[in-house]
Amino acid sequence: MMARSLRVAPEYIERVKLALGRNGYPSHQSLATHMQLSLSTVKNFLTGKPVDYLDFVELSQKLGLDWREIAYKEPEPQLPLTLSTEQQFRLERRRDGLQQAWNIQHEKVERIRQELVIETGTTNKLQLEHQLKQGEAELANLEPKLEQIEAALQLAQTQIPENNVQVSSLRPQPTNGEVSPFITGAPITQPRYFFGREKELKRLFSLLKRHPLQNAAIIGKKRSGKTSLLHYLKNITTTPAEQMRPAQKSDWLPHPENYCWIFVDLQDARMQSREGLLKYILESLKMQVPTPCDLDRFMDVVSDNLHFPTVILLDEISVGLERCPELDDRFWECFRSLATNNTGGNLAFVLATPESPIDMARNTGHSSPFFNIFGYTAYLGALTETEARELIVSSPIPFTDEDVEWILRQSCCWPLLLQILCTERLFSLEQGETDDNWREEGLRQIKPFADLLDS
């Protein structure tokens, strides 16, 4: 999307005023009348105050001026000479998103030019000429952004010290020894250790692989695996094959490199203030953080610069609604506006909650329409038996058929309970134990999570 307004740079104001008389306009009013614009618009233009983007372009052209030259340009943020692997990855993704937007707009402009050649009707011709100016202005707005990113990438590549190359992995691997095959306490962040949810994944990715992106809610009991599913959505499409299980599906998106995924944990104190959360999102998007970083400026930056598919994953959103007064209805209304009107279909939200978004908002005293935009809801229950068996057989030491059946019965195929019972069985096998004491210990360990078994 192009910027909403432009203004004449201070050093060009005198030149613009001189162009008024030079082009035969004795007064501000005469130019306003000829252009069918308000007098205030013309005065703002001639004195360096912001005016509508298209008005700025048309006034410049009428006065014989190059609008690109005289427009005030915001100082570009200083980019580091060297980029980490993650910074380069994000920058390349932003470049690809901008390039895609430029390609679409360029095709539109060429189509309008062809229509102008064959159009004979005066009214239609004027409309096409207006559309052409809009398209050319948007292309001109995108081009310097693309050039800046290309320059930053090229500069970073030439500034890498020969004897001090540091490559940081996008997904740090464990450095404290062997990886646990079963994970019982923390959310699963590495796709290799995530099992099941095939039905939910198919539907969620179908909403995110087409334009416009659509919003979704993941609903489930506490410890049902909502956070792990959010991490899986974020990571699976770009995880290297060597870090996944054989034949594990990862081709959910046609162009995963174009996507930006932002995981927001609202239990994190840094995410619980309005400014902290807005800064985090802008930094994740590699966009300039305005000062102050308030809602209005945040909306301007994102609306003008988001040209690539972006998914914001909101975890523990109930915490944000219950404990964070700065995240009020106006805050959520701005998020809704971004998703539905101001980002060209490039933004979607996926949130995790123990109840429906509408009920959750109502129960916490919120009335923002943001919570009405979630057209699809994934309800997380137990895994299917096939999915549960796949998890169990991933053990580095095989379990007997009898043990497998016992684990399936006791867990009712809930992923957390499966992980706990498999952990206990694997530990007993590693210790060379031959009795069934592990079963008693396993039942003791899953007892705190018995609510998962309640229908």
Side-chain angles (χ1 to χ4, degrees):
M1 297 177 68
M2 57 185 162
R4 291 189 176 89
S5 61
L6 289 175
R7 62 187 176 93
V8 175
E11 62 270 28
Y12 289 104
I13 289 177
E14 193 60 34
R15 179 177 165 186
V16 169
K17 290 179 178 179
L18 291 173
L20 186 68
R22 189 172 63 247
N23 284 273
Y25 295 104
S27 67
H28 297 177
Q29 184 63 63
S30 62
L31 177 59
T33 301
H34 182 81
M35 296 288 295
Q36 296 184 335
L37 296 172
S38 68
L39 180 59
S40 62
T41 296
V42 170
K43 285 184 176 180
N44 286 342
F45 173 78
L46 295 170
T47 56
K49 295 178 182 177
V51 299
D52 178 78
Y53 195 104
L54 286 175
D55 291 343
F56 184 95
V57 174
E58 291 177 355
L59 283 165
S60 301
Q61 292 172 342
K62 182 58 66 176
L63 296 178
L65 302 167
D66 184 343
W67 69 270
R68 300 175 185 83
E69 179 185 1
I70 66 173
Y72 175 77
K73 300 171 183 62
E74 295 288 345
E76 298 290 357
Q78 294 298 311
L79 294 167
L81 294 181
T82 59
L83 300 173
S84 69
T85 303
E86 182 170 4
Q87 288 173 324
Q88 183 168 337
F89 174 77
R90 289 185 180 278
L91 209 55
E92 289 173 346
R93 183 168 55 195
R94 187 179 176 201
R95 175 202 60 194
D96 294 341
L98 285 169
Q99 185 64 59
Q100 183 181 19
W102 189 93
N103 291 342
I104 293 171
Q105 191 61 39
H106 183 262
E107 291 178 6
K108 180 180 177 181
V109 166
E110 290 302 313
R111 186 172 66 252
I112 294 171
R113 285 174 177 159
Q114 292 172 7
E115 292 175 2
L116 266 172
V117 173
I118 60 175
E119 181 58 56
T120 57
T122 303
T123 302
N124 289 342
K125 203 174 187 69
L126 288 172
Q127 291 177 343
L128 288 171
E129 288 174 349
H130 182 71
Q131 292 172 9
L132 181 61
K133 286 182 180 179
Q134 285 184 310
E136 290 175 338
E138 187 158 354
L139 284 177
N141 187 47
L142 290 169
E143 284 165 0
K145 296 177 182 179
L146 275 167
E147 291 170 359
Q148 183 200 1
I149 292 176
E150 289 288 0
L153 288 169
Q154 292 175 10
L155 182 61
Q157 290 172 359
T158 62
Q159 296 290 335
I160 299 176
E162 293 182 3
N163 299 319
N164 188 29
V165 178
Q166 295 182 352
V167 179
S168 60
S169 172
L170 293 180
R171 294 168 185 81
Q173 297 302 300
T175 58
N176 58 338
E178 187 178 353
V179 178
S180 299
F182 301 111
I183 300 171
T184 60
I188 296 169
T189 58
Q190 295 185 50
R192 182 184 187 91
Y193 302 104
F194 182 94
F195 292 86
R197 307 302 185 196
E198 191 79 11
K199 180 184 72 174
E200 292 82 3
L201 288 167
K202 286 180 180 178
R203 187 59 185 274
L204 288 166
F205 276 116
S206 74
L207 298 174
L208 299 174
K209 73 179 181 181
R210 297 183 178 91
H211 190 271
L213 277 62
Q214 299 182 57
N215 308 288
I218 299 172
I219 297 179
K221 295 181 178 180
K222 186 178 181 182
R223 309 305 293 267
S224 60
K226 301 186 295 296
T227 302
S228 295
L229 180 54
L230 290 180
H231 281 295
Y232 195 74
L233 287 169
K234 176 177 179 288
N235 295 328
I236 182 58
T237 59
T238 54
T239 298
E242 62 271 16
Q243 295 179 22
M244 296 190 294
R245 301 189 302 274
Q248 187 173 6
K249 181 175 175 60
S250 63
D251 58 342
W252 296 100
L253 297 171
H255 298 288
E257 68 280 359
N258 291 340
Y259 281 69
C260 178
W261 299 83
I262 304 175
F263 183 88
V264 177
D265 179 7
L266 286 166
Q267 289 187 124
D268 185 335
R270 296 169 295 181
M271 301 295 105
Q272 295 178 357
S273 73
R274 179 182 291 186
E275 185 175 13
L277 180 51
L278 297 181
K279 282 184 175 180
Y280 170 73
I281 292 173
L282 290 175
E283 289 168 355
S284 298
L285 292 169
K286 296 302 177 186
M287 294 180 183
Q288 186 173 5
V289 178
T291 303
C293 189
D294 56 24
L295 274 176
D296 291 343
R297 290 175 175 82
F298 171 83
M299 291 282 288
D300 285 341
V301 172
V302 177
S303 297
D304 291 343
N305 295 284
L306 191 65
H307 304 292
F308 46 88
T310 299
V311 184
I312 298 180
L313 306 161
L314 295 172
D315 194 26
E316 300 292 347
I317 192 169
S318 58
V319 174
L321 295 179
E322 293 168 359
R323 307 180 196 169
C324 308
E326 290 187 26
L327 307 185
D328 55 14
D329 280 347
R330 181 168 181 264
F331 174 87
W332 296 113
E333 285 162 7
C334 286
F335 270 25
R336 183 186 191 278
S337 181
L338 279 178
T340 57
N341 298 315
N342 291 298
T343 52
N346 284 318
L347 177 63
F349 292 91
V350 179
L351 60 81
T353 168
E355 57 184 329
S356 81
I358 295 174
D359 290 342
M360 177 182 57
R362 184 185 303 116
N363 293 337
T364 54
H366 290 77
S367 59
S368 170
F370 172 79
F371 301 98
N372 298 329
I373 66 175
F374 298 89
Y376 171 69
T377 300
Y379 294 93
L380 296 195
L383 302 183
T384 66
E385 184 176 325
T386 299
E387 293 170 341
R389 288 183 182 276
E390 185 182 6
L391 188 158
I392 294 171
V393 300
S394 68
S395 172
I397 302 177
F399 300 163
T400 65
D401 290 344
E402 181 184 354
D403 288 341
V404 171
E405 296 303 322
W406 186 87
I407 291 172
L408 288 172
R409 287 196 307 273
Q410 299 302 322
S411 68
C412 294
C413 297
W414 281 96
L416 174 62
L417 307 188
L418 285 165
Q419 299 273 5
I420 292 173
L421 295 178
C422 287
T423 296
E424 292 303 323
R425 184 52 178 144
L426 178 59
F427 178 77
S428 69
L429 291 172
E430 290 174 336
Q431 300 304 309
E433 298 174 1
T434 57
D435 53 38
D436 285 338
N437 289 341
W438 69 272
R439 295 189 178 184
E440 181 179 348
E441 181 60 28
L443 292 175
R444 185 180 299 114
Q445 294 296 329
I446 68 172
K447 188 175 180 180
F449 313 107
D451 61 303
L452 288 171
L453 303 174
D454 296 337
S455 57

